[in-house]
Amino acid sequence: MFELYRPGNSFLHAMRPGAKLLALAAAGTGVFLLPGLPAIIAVMLAVLAIYAATGLGLATAWAQLRPVLLVFAILFAAQVFIAGWLTGAFFIARFATLLLLAGLLTLTTRVSDMVAAMEIGFQVLRPLGLNPSKISLALALALRFIPVLAQITGEVREAQRVRGLDGSIIAVAIPVIVRTLRMSDAIADAIEARGYNPDKA
Amino acid sequence: MTSSTITFDGVSHAFGDTPVLRDISLTLAEKRIAVVGANGSGKSTFARMINGLLLPDQGAVSIGGLDTAKDGKAVRRRVGFVFQNPDNQIVFPIVEEDVAFGMKNLKFSKAEIETKTGKMLRRYGLEGHRSHPAHLLSGGQKQLLAISGVLVMDPEVIVFDEPTTLLDLRNKLRVAEAIEALEQTAVVVTHDLDLIADFDRVIVFDEGRILADDAPTPALKAYVEAMSGV
Ligand SMILES: Nc1ncnc2c1ncn2[C@@H]1O[C@H](COP(=O)(O)OP(=O)(O)OP(=O)(O)O)[C@@H](O)[C@H]1O
Ligand SMILES: [Mg+2]
């Protein structure tokens, strides 16, 4: 879970992250402009072919969609109810294609490379008083600590289950929050100790 | 005095109304320096002052003549810091990305980052994990990764705050071995007295004061006596 990057030698791995981000943005927009179900399905098949060609494989493609199957089911049901099953299928196919496209980016790009590319993109935000280097470090940290947070939550739930408290959201949430805050202090120290300077040019 | 000499000059510090360090004056020029003492005796506070993570309320701390309050950036570069919990000091998701973080902050060239990352990961037997997620490493490997991320920045002094506390015996030994092999000056805060048996100097803290400052055998004797209330 959450192991975003898959090392490899495909053309997508070799492509520059900035170019990939732009290509993703263009392809995503394109998917929105496609007129009908057959066109979407053709694009989806093409994206799946890229998964196969880059060595990521169809199992990996499936893994991108599996976490949101329930969401798909609910959306599909709603669409069928409102507008008919054809519209529902169109909607879901478009959604799935977008997720698969985004997966191609995250699976073939190292976080640090993506962060560097975004940092350049974020330069446009500088006049608004936002610091690009801070935003991109925050993104990297979010990705790095998602598995740690999942682990902390798991540990706390286990500890509360032993005490018969695992049914209570509060009993789990409070220790998780306290541990997370303590952890953020420690991480801030570690970042500072490694020479990070948010005000660098 | 060399560029790695650590000087505390009349340092006192309090958190709120609680005094944590009381008038500490010391010059540390040895290669292996241990800091021991009871929980809450001020060891971490002392350690964090060495690289300017914390500045003293009173007095001054300097490294090779650089004042931590005035030359923070230069001090940070000269003094690396390894923390107790490896999970909280690995910043990037992938092993090699994390090793590169400090070097990027110091604006090392891409080629240099590449070479040094490879060299350091080989040194600690982590080259096979180069592009793996850091959170999948063992505790000992994570701590070695943390040490790698600090060493590639070429510090002259490395401060360790309880580097082996969270590790099992086998991983403890690996990290102890790594510390022993360092060329740099190492200041090690620890409760693991085996780790420091061969150190050059042991400083014992007690309620913010220095209780003993000596070779390991006499210093640890004084520590044990004080703790057992003899
Ligand atoms: N940021 C802080 N804010 C308030 N009090 C603090 C802070 N950091 C430390 N203290 C207090 O200062 C005292 C000394 O803490 P310090 O962390 O230096 O002790 P220590 O010797 O490292 O202990 P341990 O062996 O438990 O790590 C403790 O009483 C602690 O509660
Ligand atoms: Mg401590």
Side-chain angles (χ1 to χ4, degrees), chain B residues 180-209:
Chain B
E180 198 185 317
L182 291 175
E183 292 157 27
Q184 289 87 345
T185 294
V187 179
V188 183
V189 175
T190 187
H191 293 292
D192 179 2
L193 304 183
D194 294 333
L195 182 66
I196 57 174
D198 297 325
F199 272 38
D200 301 316
R201 180 168 174 184
V202 176
I203 298 161
V204 184
F205 272 83
D206 182 34
E207 297 184 5
R209 289 195 186 82

Side-chain angles (χ1 to χ4, degrees), chain A residues 185, chain B residues 14-16 18-21 36-48 54 84 161-162 189 191 205:
Chain A
D185 260 351
Chain B
F15 290 110
T18 321
V20 174
L21 291 180
V36 301
N39 292 131
S41 57
K43 306 179 299 292
S44 295
T45 307
F46 175 80
R48 288 156 52 84
L54 190 68
Q84 175 178 33
D161 193 353
E162 300 195 32
V189 175
H191 293 292
F205 272 83

Side-chain angles (χ1 to χ4, degrees), chain A residues 190-191 193-196, chain B residues 77 91-92 96-108 113 148-150 152-153:
Chain A
I191 289 173
R194 286 221 266 162
Y196 176 72
Chain B
R77 195 171 174 157
V91 178
F92 275 87
E96 67 176 325
E97 293 178 322
D98 189 69
V99 175
F101 176 62
M103 291 191 280
K104 283 187 178 162
N105 291 335
L106 297 182
K107 303 255 181 281
F108 284 27
I113 292 178
S148 305
V150 167
V152 288
M153 296 169 70

Side-chain angles (χ1 to χ4, degrees), chain A residues 64-179:
Chain A
Q64 305 306 303
L65 302 178
R66 200 176 36 210
V68 289
L69 284 181
L70 184 65
V71 179
F72 278 2
I74 295 167
L75 286 175
F76 183 66
Q79 288 291 332
V80 169
F81 184 70
I82 298 165
W85 75 269
L86 206 61
T87 313
F90 176 66
F91 197 81
I92 297 305
R94 186 159 75 183
F95 198 173
T97 308
L98 285 171
L99 281 178
L100 289 171
L101 275 170
L104 281 179
L105 175 73
T106 50
L107 289 163
T108 63
T109 315
R110 284 201 169 80
V111 169
S112 57
D113 294 340
M114 193 125 67
V115 162
M118 286 194 268
E119 206 165 309
I120 296 167
F122 286 144
Q123 294 296 341
V124 299
L125 301 178
R126 205 181 265 286
L128 301 175
L130 291 170
N131 182 330
S133 133
K134 278 188 194 164
I135 301 174
S136 41
L137 180 66
L139 285 171
L141 284 172
L143 291 171
R144 157 74 182 93
F145 284 97
I146 286 169
V148 180
L149 286 177
Q151 186 194 336
I152 288 180
T153 311
E155 282 170 19
V156 168
R157 284 180 77 165
E158 199 142 285
Q160 302 297 49
R161 188 171 309 142
V162 172
R163 303 161 59 199
L165 289 170
D166 59 319
S168 155
I169 292 178
I170 304 271
V172 173
I174 289 179
V176 167
I177 291 168
V178 169
R179 276 185 60 179

Side-chain angles (χ1 to χ4, degrees), chain B residues 57-72:
Chain B
D57 288 343
Q58 276 170 49
V61 179
S62 61
I63 315 300
L66 292 174
D67 189 306
T68 56
K70 294 185 201 116
D71 313 301

Side-chain angles (χ1 to χ4, degrees), chain B residues 40-223:
Chain B
S41 57
K43 306 179 299 292
S44 295
T45 307
F46 175 80
R48 288 156 52 84
M49 282 186 180
I50 300 176
N51 79 334
L53 275 175
L54 190 68
L55 299 174
D57 288 343
Q58 276 170 49
V61 179
S62 61
I63 315 300
L66 292 174
D67 189 306
T68 56
K70 294 185 201 116
D71 313 301
K73 216 177 143 191
V75 167
R76 219 50 67 64
R77 195 171 174 157
R78 203 171 274 189
V79 184
F81 205 111
V82 175
F83 298 82
Q84 175 178 33
N85 189 340
D87 263 324
N88 295 350
Q89 54 191 319
I90 297 170
V91 178
F92 275 87
I94 304 292
V95 168
E96 67 176 325
E97 293 178 322
D98 189 69
V99 175
F101 176 62
M103 291 191 280
K104 283 187 178 162
N105 291 335
L106 297 182
K107 303 255 181 281
F108 284 27
S109 74
K110 244 193 153 119
E112 202 172 354
I113 292 178
E114 184 69 26
T115 322
K116 294 186 82 145
T117 302
K119 208 172 128 194
M120 200 53 73
L121 291 179
R122 272 193 299 282
R123 171 164 169 185
Y124 290 125
L126 294 170
E127 71 272 43
H129 300 285
R130 194 173 171 136
S131 27
H132 291 176
H135 77 272
L136 298 180
L137 298 178
S138 75
Q141 286 173 324
K142 281 182 190 165
Q143 200 57 298
L144 292 174
L145 172 60
I147 296 174
S148 305
V150 167
L151 278 183
V152 288
M153 296 169 70
D154 301 324
E156 296 185 37
V157 176
I158 304 175
V159 181
F160 295 86
D161 193 353
E162 300 195 32
T164 58
T165 303
L166 299 175
L167 305 180
D168 63 24
L169 184 60
R170 184 193 157 97
N171 285 307
K172 235 184 246 278
L173 293 174
R174 289 177 73 180
V175 170
E177 215 170 89
I179 295 174
E180 198 185 317
L182 291 175
E183 292 157 27
Q184 289 87 345
T185 294
V187 179
V188 183
V189 175
T190 187
H191 293 292
D192 179 2
L193 304 183
D194 294 333
L195 182 66
I196 57 174
D198 297 325
F199 272 38
D200 301 316
R201 180 168 174 184
V202 176
I203 298 161
V204 184
F205 272 83
D206 182 34
E207 297 184 5
R209 289 195 186 82
I210 293 173
L211 177 91
D213 177 357
D214 214 325
T217 312
L220 294 178
K221 184 162 176 275
Y223 179 34

